[in-house]
Amino acid sequence: MPQIVNLRVLLSFAGHPASSLKPSSSVPPLPLLFRPNTFSIRTRSLAVFTAFSSYSRKQRKYSRPLNLTRRNNSSLRETGKREKDSSMEETTTQTQSVGFNKRRAEGTDKSDRPKKVLPLKDRRLNPVNTISYVQIMGTGMDTQDTSPSVLLFFDKQRFIFNAGEGLQRFCTEHKIKLSKIDHIFLSRVCSETAGGLPGLLLTLAGMGDEGMSVNVWGPSDLGYLVEAMRSFIPKAAMVHTHSFGPSPGSDEVSILKARKFADPIILVDDEVVKISAILLQPQSPDEYKLEKGNNSLPLTTDLDREVRGNPDKSAELAVKPGDISVIYVCELPEIKGKFDPKKAAALGLKPGPKYRELQLGNSVKSDHQNITVHPSDVLGPSVPGPIILIVDCPTSCHLRELLALESLRSYYGNNSGNSEETSKVVSCIIHLSPSSVTSTIDYQKWMAQFGEVQHLMAGHEMKNIEVPILKSSARIAARLNYLCPQFFPAPGFWALQHPSGSAPGFQELSEVPDSKLFRSVSAENLLKFHLRPYAQLGLDRSGVPSLTSHSEIIDELLSENPEIVDAAQQVAWFWHEDKQLKEDTISMVKNNTMIEDPWLNGNTLPGCLEDISREDMEIVLLGTGSSQPSKYRNVSSILINLFSKGSLLLDCGEGTLGQLKRRFGVEGADDAVRRLRCIWISHIHADHHTGLARILALRRDLLKGVPHKPLLVIGPRQLKRFLDAYQILEDLDMQFLDCRHTTEASLEAFESNKGESPSGSPNQDIDSTLFAKGVRMQSYWKRPDGPINSGIVLSILKNLKELLKEAGLETLTSFPVVHCPQAYGVALKAADRINSSGKLIPGWKIVYSGDSRPCPEIIKASQGATVLIHEATFEDGLVEEAIARNHSTTKEAIEVGDSAGAYRIILTHFSQRYPKIPVFDETHMHKTCIAFDLMSVNLADLHVLPKVLPLLKILFRNEMAVEDVDDIVTAASVAN
């Protein structure tokens, strides 16, 4: 475990004022962190819920929070003698403490960061490969949210082309080891093709004792992406990035000169494979006019005719960073002919080392004759090595350049005018181009020039939506839906399945004109094209997953676990009796009567839930895991669905767009992205924001030509540095607001100025010992960026106030938490409403902790919260690790909610060591539920929420083991 130094202790004494969290003596005391009775340990034996406490190999006893002190600048120690676990369960204590890792909170804990440049893997190549193939890695095939990847496999080397969002999760699902990857090639530099690259680099950097790295290749625009990633990825993880082509920032004149890059650029050339890149650039308007001259020139393509007749189309041809696309050419060496020992003997050679030299292509001296024996004298005819083309032609603007590429002419077949001597035989072409391009007549004619080549159409096609690429999580989602469809609606892709096996509106390539001139198939997930052995050259569908229907998954569940039928009926009864329960509860509320429902454990129904509608608000938990995506849980993201009033995103980890499409379907997710009003990011760690660029880019495209405002992104200041650098690649159509401008003190400061720019810093009056001036945890005070433009901030704050009003919200307030520099939580308060009887109903309140140790800021913000969504990364027995990484345990998270009087607590951000469901204690379940990916909690169903939790033990009773995945858990910790 990493060293913990400079710990600060927070003490609460029953019947006495709370001591404070004191990084320095000048800091004023904090309010009481926990109520005294919160920590009292019941003397009765703990009724441990079997389903939530099977610890497997890492069984630990529950213990009270440790009393932490700083000692000799060394690792965490307990003060005093540790008592036996059995006695601890029966002891009532009046003094408790909550520690945290101060250095990590300040950003000075370097224990998880690479100490030096990360090494590349050292491979001993095997020139005579027994196995080689290309394989479609279908990221985005079912959700249409990102570009598919392509794996080029050799015995000793692995190459991946494109690293869109979800690549890590895909590799985990299909047991593809990331540690075996040597090179990553990007066909374009944008969120669609490189969205998964930051997380992948961080994961590799955390593997093993020293971390690992890979060679990353891309066009010259890659430099912009690398510069943007430096804001949250250690430099050591990105030293092996290589760009090629014209220098970034070239203007239109120099772009014209960039035609010297039209020839193939050799990137890798060893005894196993030669990989070259051919650049594909859309033409700028000046370039187009220069080549086409006046309108009297013949119109050679459909694109030419479209541009001539549409001036707006010409304007779209302007070359920008991120527009360069790449065609990759992978050439395997020729397969030498079979050695003939009879011919060798006839030429006077003795069996021995000279035979080997001839097989390697070297000439030797004859043993019995005064002649030189050449390999061609004893070897049969060679077989040309297979050639693979990976083509990404993203737009019609790129298509015209593709049609004119001279460097591809040698790869065209004999029917294109090439002689047998000059023609190179291509075995397979993988088309990453979208169907809007590949279905055009011009593209089809270009494909036909290659002759008898196998074409794999890997662009987004509706046919592939029917088969989820993450079958493990789809299986869990289907089972949860059977148990409780109210909280776990059917994923969007099940509705798309059709008995005929194809989605509506899908057009087979064979129906397109000229498609009979070549062989083409729609690429499928895990489809292979074998290259070696030569006898197996061709397609291999053996690994393609079959379509599994929802009904098949449920039949399997019922066969394995017949008890689930009764459990599902019991859940259905909760909603059947709901109407009477609501009527009784509301009557009790009006009469100020306490509810005796044992599930509510003495809580009254909050007034904000009176006469609540199902169209008011819904919490959709898109990602509930931590650090990095896993088979069953994606990384952090929460959609606050306000239905007709829009929606907000709280955190936006990698793969958020894919999760939206799995929950709402492809078209439904597009609508959700259109209706987004704000995205709020808690802190700079990669698992909370690397899906942001993809969401913003899609929204930009969906609203193109429609009047709209830029989307407001609220986040820590480091996030702005990333977004500013990234926007050089592609316009994200957003405006940014620092979280510190949305704290309670800052908002009050701006409001007090009544629309005028405030003088000084809005943070000067923040009453917080965590982020006060002079405390190193608040990196704002030592930032090098210069003074704040208060006028711009005020304008954005006015925009925030307006959009909150339109969304039916009263406030959005950020508050600092204990995790890393500039880490925040957020509280959303809905506006009050008037019911049909004219009664004023208070607005609901949602609080999200982000990543944090338990701290008074969360408790203060959560006072009277309708729902507290709190991270619970670790089980209760791993409190030391929770302190080391500044996370919370399940018990600590619940105690925070209890101290604040929150009505319901939803736990999320679980460590990936808990593959499906975390370790949990029954004694904490009276107002709590654990989150699952794609879980949807409607405000009208909150009173039922804790009732469902016990029934999950039936669903997961045989799947509760804690996985020993320390390597996985720590792999992405370098980001922290």
Side-chain angles (χ1 to χ4, degrees), residues 386-574:
I387 298 176
I388 305 296
L389 299 186
I390 299 174
V391 180
D392 187 357
C393 181
T395 69
S396 57
C397 301
H398 293 78
L399 175 55
R400 188 179 180 283
E401 184 68 15
L402 175 66
L403 300 179
L405 275 179
E406 290 293 329
S407 53
L408 284 177
R409 192 164 300 279
S410 61
Y411 298 98
Y412 295 155
N414 296 335
N415 56 354
S416 297
N418 292 341
S419 64
E420 293 186 7
E421 293 76 14
T422 60
S423 178
K424 298 180 180 179
V425 179
V426 179
S427 302
C428 178
I429 302 179
I430 299 173
H431 300 267
L432 302 179
S433 312
S435 57
S436 60
V437 174
T438 59
S439 60
T440 63
I441 295 177
D442 290 328
Y443 197 91
Q444 299 276 312
K445 289 180 178 178
W446 175 79
M447 292 170 62
Q449 293 185 80
F450 290 92
E452 293 296 321
V453 176
Q454 181 64 65
H455 294 271
L456 301 183
M457 314 307 294
H460 292 164
E461 299 187 30
M462 292 297 295
K463 178 180 180 181
N464 290 316
I465 295 179
E466 301 170 10
V467 185
I469 63 168
L470 303 175
K471 297 191 71 172
S472 297
S473 61
R475 176 176 170 270
I476 292 295
R479 291 181 168 216
L480 287 168
N481 170 254
Y482 177 83
L483 176 65
C484 183
Q486 293 83 1
F487 287 142
F488 305 99
F493 49 74
W494 295 121
L496 294 168
Q497 292 185 359
H498 299 271
S500 63
S502 63
F506 173 73
Q507 183 182 29
E508 291 288 352
L509 197 61
S510 58
E511 299 174 15
V512 180
D514 294 330
S515 63
K516 296 180 180 179
L517 300 178
F518 49 83
R519 293 180 298 153
S520 66
V521 297
S522 294
E524 299 171 86
N525 185 29
L526 300 181
L527 176 67
K528 290 181 181 178
F529 186 90
H530 281 285
L531 305 174
R532 300 271 170 84
Y534 184 75
Q536 298 180 10
L537 185 71
L539 292 174
D540 178 5
R541 285 190 171 87
S542 61
V544 175
S546 59
L547 175 62
T548 303
S549 67
H550 184 276
S551 59
E552 290 174 327
I553 295 176
I554 300 308
D555 289 344
E556 178 191 32
L557 171 64
L558 299 180
S559 174
E560 294 175 0
N561 192 352
E563 296 178 42
I564 202 66
V565 176
D566 293 335
Q569 292 176 350
Q570 186 173 350
V571 170
W573 176 251
F574 295 153

Side-chain angles (χ1 to χ4, degrees), residues 483-707:
L483 176 65
C484 183
Q486 293 83 1
F487 287 142
F488 305 99
F493 49 74
W494 295 121
L496 294 168
Q497 292 185 359
H498 299 271
S500 63
S502 63
F506 173 73
Q507 183 182 29
E508 291 288 352
L509 197 61
S510 58
E511 299 174 15
V512 180
D514 294 330
S515 63
K516 296 180 180 179
L517 300 178
F518 49 83
R519 293 180 298 153
S520 66
V521 297
S522 294
E524 299 171 86
N525 185 29
L526 300 181
L527 176 67
K528 290 181 181 178
F529 186 90
H530 281 285
L531 305 174
R532 300 271 170 84
Y534 184 75
Q536 298 180 10
L537 185 71
L539 292 174
D540 178 5
R541 285 190 171 87
S542 61
V544 175
S546 59
L547 175 62
T548 303
S549 67
H550 184 276
S551 59
E552 290 174 327
I553 295 176
I554 300 308
D555 289 344
E556 178 191 32
L557 171 64
L558 299 180
S559 174
E560 294 175 0
N561 192 352
E563 296 178 42
I564 202 66
V565 176
D566 293 335
Q569 292 176 350
Q570 186 173 350
V571 170
W573 176 251
F574 295 153
W575 271 266
H576 180 73
E577 63 178 356
D578 185 40
K579 183 176 180 180
Q580 183 61 43
L581 176 63
K582 280 186 177 180
E583 292 175 356
D584 295 343
T585 302
I586 292 173
S587 175
M588 293 178 185
V589 170
K590 291 179 178 178
N591 298 324
N592 294 321
T593 305
M594 295 295 293
I595 301 173
E596 297 300 329
D597 190 319
W599 294 105
L600 300 181
N601 197 24
N603 289 329
T604 59
L605 189 72
C608 63
L609 298 184
E610 184 177 342
D611 295 335
I612 198 73
S613 163
R614 299 197 67 83
E615 299 298 315
D616 280 0
M617 192 273 286
E618 177 186 49
I619 302 170
V620 182
L621 296 130
L622 299 172
T624 58
S626 66
S627 294
Q628 66 186 77
S630 70
K631 286 172 64 175
Y632 304 104
R633 294 184 185 272
N634 203 54
V635 288
S636 297
S637 185
I638 302 169
L639 179 75
I640 304 299
N641 186 6
L642 303 173
F643 297 95
S644 62
K645 296 179 181 179
S647 59
L648 294 85
L649 267 179
L650 308 181
D651 279 333
C652 190
E654 177 188 337
T656 293
L657 178 57
Q659 291 294 89
L660 276 172
K661 299 206 173 192
R662 292 182 180 95
R663 168 63 181 84
F664 296 107
V666 173
E667 294 183 359
D670 287 349
D671 185 55
V673 171
R674 286 189 192 95
R675 295 187 299 108
L676 275 176
R677 294 189 177 274
C678 175
I679 299 178
W680 183 91
I681 304 296
S682 61
H683 61 291
I684 196 61
H685 288 167
D687 58 324
H688 291 258
H689 74 84
T690 48
L692 181 58
R694 190 75 195 100
I695 291 282
L696 293 174
L698 176 63
R699 180 181 181 273
R700 172 205 65 208
D701 294 339
L702 292 173
L703 295 179
K704 190 174 183 179
V706 178

Side-chain angles (χ1 to χ4, degrees), residues 682-970:
S682 61
H683 61 291
I684 196 61
H685 288 167
D687 58 324
H688 291 258
H689 74 84
T690 48
L692 181 58
R694 190 75 195 100
I695 291 282
L696 293 174
L698 176 63
R699 180 181 181 273
R700 172 205 65 208
D701 294 339
L702 292 173
L703 295 179
K704 190 174 183 179
V706 178
H708 67 281
K709 294 181 179 179
L711 185 63
L712 179 61
V713 176
I714 303 174
R717 189 170 188 84
Q718 305 104 308
L719 181 63
K720 184 177 188 300
R721 300 189 190 114
F722 166 71
L723 293 173
D724 285 347
Y726 186 86
Q727 285 200 104
I728 299 176
L729 280 172
E730 53 181 336
D731 176 29
L732 297 180
D733 192 22
M734 51 137 304
Q735 59 179 185
F736 183 84
L737 183 63
D738 196 324
C739 278
R740 62 193 173 90
H741 295 309
T742 61
T743 62
E744 185 176 5
S746 295
L747 293 173
E748 289 176 357
F750 279 110
E751 286 291 336
S752 65
N753 282 271
K754 298 181 180 180
E756 298 179 1
S757 298
S759 59
S761 168
N763 283 62
Q764 288 178 351
D765 297 326
I766 290 182
D767 183 17
S768 170
T769 58
L770 298 180
F771 280 63
K773 184 175 181 179
V775 179
R776 293 178 64 190
M777 288 172 64
Q778 176 53 288
S779 61
Y780 157 68
W781 296 107
K782 56 184 180 180
R783 64 182 178 84
D785 298 77
I788 304 168
N789 189 327
S790 298
I792 295 178
V793 172
L794 182 61
S795 174
I796 299 176
L797 282 173
K798 288 180 179 179
N799 181 33
L800 171 62
K801 188 174 182 179
E802 180 182 339
L803 71 85
L804 289 177
K805 183 178 180 180
E806 293 172 352
L809 300 176
E810 184 177 291
T811 58
L812 181 155
T813 308
S814 304
F815 52 88
V817 296
V818 182
H819 182 60
C820 69
Q822 300 187 47
Y824 293 88
V826 67
L828 296 173
K829 175 71 168 60
D832 297 343
R833 55 189 171 88
I834 298 177
N835 66 6
S836 57
S837 303
K839 179 181 178 181
L840 183 66
I841 307 296
W844 47 262
K845 182 180 181 181
I846 304 297
V847 178
Y848 171 49
S849 69
D851 285 8
S852 180
R853 290 289 295 145
C855 68
E857 275 73 9
I858 301 179
I859 294 179
K860 179 182 177 182
S862 303
Q863 293 294 326
T866 313
V867 179
L868 168 62
I869 306 172
H870 201 292
E871 73 117 292
T873 309
F874 297 106
E875 64 187 82
D876 298 340
L878 298 180
V879 65
E880 294 181 14
E881 188 164 354
I883 293 171
R885 301 188 180 281
N886 280 345
H887 287 295
S888 300
T889 66
T890 54
K891 184 177 180 181
E892 288 174 331
I894 294 170
E895 286 172 341
V896 169
D898 286 340
S899 298
Y903 174 62
R904 290 291 179 258
I905 305 167
I906 299 177
L907 302 182
T908 186
H909 197 266
F910 300 111
S911 167
Q912 304 297 10
R913 59 167 43 86
Y914 315 115
K916 297 176 184 175
I917 195 168
V919 174
F920 203 84
D921 192 303
E922 184 185 11
T923 58
H924 305 313
M925 61 183 286
H926 62 282
K927 61 164 65 175
T928 305
C929 190
I930 55 179
F932 292 84
D933 279 16
L934 308 184
M935 181 179 183
S936 301
V937 181
N938 195 288
L939 208 59
D941 297 329
L942 280 180
H943 60 288
V944 185
L945 190 61
K947 295 184 180 183
V948 176
L949 181 58
L951 299 174
L952 292 174
K953 76 166 187 175
I954 300 175
L955 186 64
F956 293 102
R957 66 178 182 180
N958 298 323
E959 306 178 78
M960 294 304 304
V962 179
E963 289 191 348
D964 189 11
V965 290
D966 285 343
D967 288 341
I968 294 177
V969 173
T970 59

